[in-house]
């Protein structure tokens, strides 16, 4: 069966592209003789329609006079079904996206765990429904009935949003956070889509990059750190910042902390176990840093070389033991579901091994096949369709974490994510990473430093973003300029910046 989505303008297709991509993987627009734009998908599974009833089905989505509608037409032009409702509650775009999801689910028989919520932050919709209903039970019901989210994911969204709101409510009104990015790793992981570079390609560039970061920091804070608000958190990520040489790593921390002070939350990504040396841990300890990330991604030695990781499971245990010895009292550890060659049982095994290690936080990711990774996104839609075994394993992993005393506090999603899952971080109460919640909320200013970083100033709930280039050489050559640009933008956007 062929399904077509037709519109007068390509921009109308673009508004619905994420929903179409869920079911068919790609959005390739074409134009017919009449000048109408359409996208086309082929499917063997049939949902509400009997096999052979229609070879070609056309979907027409439109919003007129406050009414949003989506209609399915046969080849002969007969209406197979029509979805229609006022668009004033959620807006035309969101309403049409929900309708398209419902139509495609009817036609294909495929239901995704998060339904029509394709955005990065599903907890925002959960919060919206919570604020517009009388109870959490009613909000869950709205997520299920209106947004087509599964009951399990609707409950998870509300549960996570509760803790998010607790954290956000504890922050000062003028709070801001800092992100410092170091886009280097010992090797490039198979699944990585970030701007990270293989440190072995040009070792001298690491020191050069560290000094460029310092120049950007200097030019940003030449006006004083407090001009931007009350600093609450510093996150040094990447990449793997501990890939830097000992001297460059120590010098960078010293320079950053000279501006931020130590009386804030400070977290350092030390994701790759082979980079966690006594020297690096001593530097962290010297600067009073106790929060780090050690990210094995799997606890199976058979998988690690397939991912181009240069460590084994024994290195993970050794890095964790050393980190504890040097006073790292809050450790986050990441795992990925859907890695090359792994089964759902393999993933559960890794979860159980991390629970035995007893870190303060464990983050579960669904594998995302993204542009820029060696696992590029595929046009094969079924790669992203829900797999019952994997959705069950992901749920089972979360229940194991709850049973071990963890609770979910930070949730986001990505395109092309394995089985339509999510990225979800669990923490023991009181160990949540404030930066993660603040950064994802779009309620807190974030100053981003380094290649590929993003700065955002929140004005009247709107995020105004500045992006630094992903190209490391371009960044290094212009680092001071990006610092000055932050100051100039803050002057324009933040009331009272120069007082």
């Amino acid at each position: 069966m062929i399904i077509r989505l037709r519109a007068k303008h390509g921009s109308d297709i673009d508004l619905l592209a994420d929903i179409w991509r869920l079911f068919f993987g790609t959005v390739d627009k074409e134009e017919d003789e009449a000048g109408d734009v359409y996208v086309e998908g082929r499917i063997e599974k049939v949902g509400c329609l009997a096999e052979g009833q229609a070879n070609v089905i056309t979907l027409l989505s439109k919003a007129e006079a406050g009414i949003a509608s989506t209609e399915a037409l046969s080849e002969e032009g007969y209406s197979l079904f029509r979805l229609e409702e006022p668009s004033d509650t959620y807006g035309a775009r969101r309403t049409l996206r929900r309708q398209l999801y419902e139509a495609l689910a009817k036609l294909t028989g495929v239901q995704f765990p998060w339904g029509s919520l394709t955005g990065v932050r599903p907890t925002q919709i959960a919060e919206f429904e919570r604020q517009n209903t009388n109870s959490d039970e009613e909000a869950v019901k709205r997520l299920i009935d209106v947004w087509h989210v599964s009951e399990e994911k609707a409950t998870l969204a509300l549960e996570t949003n509760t803790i998010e709101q607790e954290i956000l409510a504890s922050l000062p009104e003028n709070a801001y956070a800092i992100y410092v990015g170091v886009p280097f790793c010992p090797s490039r992981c198979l699944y990585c889509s970030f701007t990270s570079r293989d440190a072995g390609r040009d070792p001298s560039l690491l020191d050069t990059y560290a000094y460029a970061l310092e120049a950007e920091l200097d030019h940003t804070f030449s006006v004083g750190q407090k001009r931007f608000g009350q600093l609450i958190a510093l996150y040094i990520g990447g990449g793997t910042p501990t890939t830097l040489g000992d001297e460059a790593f120590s010098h960078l921390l010293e320079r950053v902390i000279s501006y931020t002070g130590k009386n804030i939350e400070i977290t350092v990504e030390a994701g790759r176990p082979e980079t966690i040396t006594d020297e690096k841990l001593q530097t962290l300890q010297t600067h009073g840093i106790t929060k780090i990330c050690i990210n094995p991604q799997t606890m199976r030695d058979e998988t690690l070389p397939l991912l181009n990781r240069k460590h084994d499971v024994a290195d993970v245990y050794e890095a964790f033991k050393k980190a504890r010895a040097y006073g790292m009292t809050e450790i986050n550890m990441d795992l990925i579901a859907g890695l090359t060659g792994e089964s759902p049982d393999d993933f559960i095994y890794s979860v159980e091994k991390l629970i035995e290690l007893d870190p303060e936080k464990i983050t579960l990711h669904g594998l995302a096949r993204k542009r820029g990774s060696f696992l590029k996104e595929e046009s094969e839609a079924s790669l992203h369709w829900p797999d019952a075994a994997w959705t069950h394993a992901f749920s089972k992993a979360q229940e194991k974490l709850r049973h071990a005393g963890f609770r979910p506090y930070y949730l986001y999603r990505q395109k092309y994510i394995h089985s339509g899952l999510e990225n979800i971080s669990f923490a023991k109460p009181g160990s949540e990473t404030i930066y993660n919640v603040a950064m994802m909320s779009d309620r807190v200013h974030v100053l981003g430093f380094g290649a590929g970083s993003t700065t955002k100033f929140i004005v009247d709930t709107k995020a105004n973003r500045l992006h630094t280039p992903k190209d490391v050489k371009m960044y290094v050559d212009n680092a001071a300029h990006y610092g000055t640009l932050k100051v100039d933008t803050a002057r324009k956007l933040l009331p009272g910046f120069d007082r």
Side-chain angles (χ1 to χ4, degrees):
M1 180 173 69
I2 297 173
I3 301 174
R4 287 179 182 151
L5 174 63
R6 187 175 292 276
K8 284 292 182 186
H9 307 288
S11 58
D12 296 333
I13 297 287
D14 293 339
L15 293 176
L16 304 171
D18 282 348
I19 298 294
W20 186 266
R21 195 177 286 113
L22 266 183
F23 290 87
F24 299 109
T26 59
V27 180
D28 298 318
K29 290 179 286 190
E30 299 184 48
E31 190 173 313
D32 64 14
E33 294 178 356
D36 287 353
V37 180
Y38 68 93
V39 289
E40 185 172 284
R42 296 174 182 269
I43 190 127
E44 294 181 8
K45 296 181 69 175
V46 177
C48 69
L49 301 176
E51 187 95 45
Q53 183 175 338
N55 292 320
V56 180
I57 295 175
T58 298
L59 293 172
L60 299 177
S61 294
K62 61 183 180 180
E64 294 177 341
I67 299 295
S69 66
T70 298
E71 187 171 20
L73 302 174
S74 69
E75 284 178 271
E76 296 77 21
Y78 296 114
S79 179
L80 300 173
F81 61 82
R82 179 182 175 87
L83 306 172
E84 182 178 287
E85 64 182 288
S87 59
D88 53 351
T89 302
Y90 299 103
R93 178 174 178 268
R94 279 181 171 172
T95 304
L96 288 174
R97 285 161 60 88
R98 287 192 293 101
Q99 289 180 348
L100 179 60
Y101 175 86
E102 185 176 344
L104 290 175
K106 282 177 181 287
L107 295 172
T108 64
V110 177
Q111 294 279 356
F112 287 84
W114 287 97
S116 63
L117 298 186
T118 60
V120 174
R121 294 166 291 187
T123 56
Q124 285 192 334
I125 301 298
E127 184 185 357
F128 175 86
E129 294 296 2
R130 170 178 265 157
Q131 291 174 347
N132 288 278
T133 53
N134 297 319
S135 67
D136 282 3
E137 291 76 13
E138 197 174 335
V140 166
K141 189 175 187 303
R142 294 283 296 171
L143 288 168
I144 296 168
D145 295 344
V146 175
W147 301 95
H148 310 292
V149 178
S150 72
E151 182 176 2
E152 178 195 339
K153 299 305 182 188
T155 303
L156 176 64
L158 265 293
E159 181 184 10
T160 307
N161 180 250
T162 297
I163 301 168
E164 286 178 343
Q165 295 310 307
E166 290 174 1
I167 292 170
L168 291 170
S170 71
L171 303 181
E173 188 176 343
N174 62 340
Y176 82 97
I178 291 175
Y179 173 81
V180 177
V182 182
F184 297 93
C185 284
S187 61
R188 177 79 176 273
C189 294
L190 190 69
Y191 53 79
C192 183
S193 63
F194 294 119
T195 57
S196 304
R197 294 167 60 102
D198 183 339
R201 285 166 48 192
D202 187 359
S204 65
L205 186 57
L206 273 68
D207 289 348
T208 303
Y209 181 84
Y211 287 112
L213 270 175
E214 292 173 17
E216 186 185 11
L217 286 159
D218 291 345
H219 280 73
T220 301
F221 295 125
S222 61
V223 296
Q225 178 257 105
K226 293 183 179 179
R227 293 279 187 92
F228 296 94
Q230 184 173 338
L231 181 61
I232 57 164
L234 163 65
Y235 194 98
I236 303 177
T240 308
T242 44
T243 303
L244 293 173
D246 292 340
E247 185 177 341
F249 181 71
S250 178
H251 197 268
L252 177 61
L253 283 185
E254 186 175 333
R255 181 60 65 88
V256 175
I257 292 173
S258 73
Y259 287 118
T260 67
K262 297 181 180 181
N263 295 322
I264 57 170
E265 176 191 86
I266 302 176
T267 306
V268 176
E269 283 270 2
R272 298 290 282 270
E274 68 270 38
T275 69
I276 303 175
T277 61
D278 288 291
E279 291 79 12
K280 296 292 192 322
L281 290 167
Q282 181 64 63
T283 296
L284 292 169
Q285 187 180 58
T286 299
H287 291 289
I289 296 170
T290 60
K291 304 173 192 290
I292 65 169
C293 303
I294 303 173
N295 302 329
Q297 314 302 5
T298 177
M299 293 296 279
R300 295 182 71 251
D301 277 331
E302 299 90 337
T303 305
L304 288 166
L306 301 177
L307 306 177
N308 198 34
R309 306 271 289 193
K310 304 302 182 184
H311 65 88
D312 58 23
V313 172
D315 293 328
V316 176
Y317 285 110
E318 179 63 20
F320 189 90
K321 181 180 176 181
K322 277 186 178 182
R324 288 295 200 216
Y326 279 91
M328 300 300 119
T329 56
E330 283 194 26
I331 297 176
N332 173 76
M333 305 186 82
D334 285 8
L335 293 174
I336 298 177
L339 288 172
T340 301
E342 289 208 341
S343 69
D345 286 343
D346 294 332
F347 175 66
I348 292 296
Y349 169 84
S350 291
V351 172
E352 291 171 343
K353 291 302 175 185
L354 289 199
I355 290 173
E356 289 174 9
L357 263 178
D358 198 30
E360 286 62 45
K361 286 162 272 200
I362 295 177
T363 302
L364 307 178
H365 297 268
L367 177 69
R369 296 170 180 264
K370 300 291 289 292
R371 285 190 180 92
S373 74
F374 296 123
L375 287 176
K376 295 183 179 68
E377 76 275 15
E378 305 284 346
S379 60
E380 189 79 35
S382 58
L383 280 171
H384 317 297
W385 284 1
D387 179 300
W390 273 108
T391 54
H392 174 72
F394 213 65
S395 299
K396 183 178 178 181
Q398 294 181 24
E399 284 309 307
K400 284 181 176 290
L401 290 172
R402 287 187 181 91
H403 185 73
F406 297 82
R407 61 180 190 168
Y409 79 96
Y410 168 58
L411 188 160
Y412 68 100
R413 302 192 65 239
Q414 294 170 281
K415 294 177 184 176
Y416 307 110
I417 197 165
H418 187 66
S419 284
L421 296 171
E422 69 273 358
N423 304 314
I424 178 83
S425 189
F426 282 73
K428 294 179 179 178
S431 297
E432 298 84 5
T433 302
I434 293 171
Y435 171 83
N436 286 341
V437 176
M439 175 272 300
M440 193 59 68
S441 71
D442 273 359
R443 295 189 196 175
V444 174
H445 306 314
V446 177
L447 300 185
F449 296 86
S453 67
T454 298
T455 290
K456 60 181 180 180
F457 295 110
I458 313 300
V459 181
D460 296 329
T461 72
K462 179 185 176 183
N464 300 268
R465 290 178 168 84
L466 290 174
H467 302 284
T468 52
K470 295 179 180 180
D471 183 271
V472 172
K473 187 177 186 307
M474 184 182 295
Y475 168 76
V476 166
D477 290 344
N478 298 280
H481 164 71
Y482 302 124
T484 302
L485 184 60
K486 283 190 233 321
V487 175
D488 293 343
T489 305
R491 280 201 172 101
K492 293 176 184 175
L493 295 175
L494 304 185
F497 181 80
D498 281 322
R499 281 188 216 156

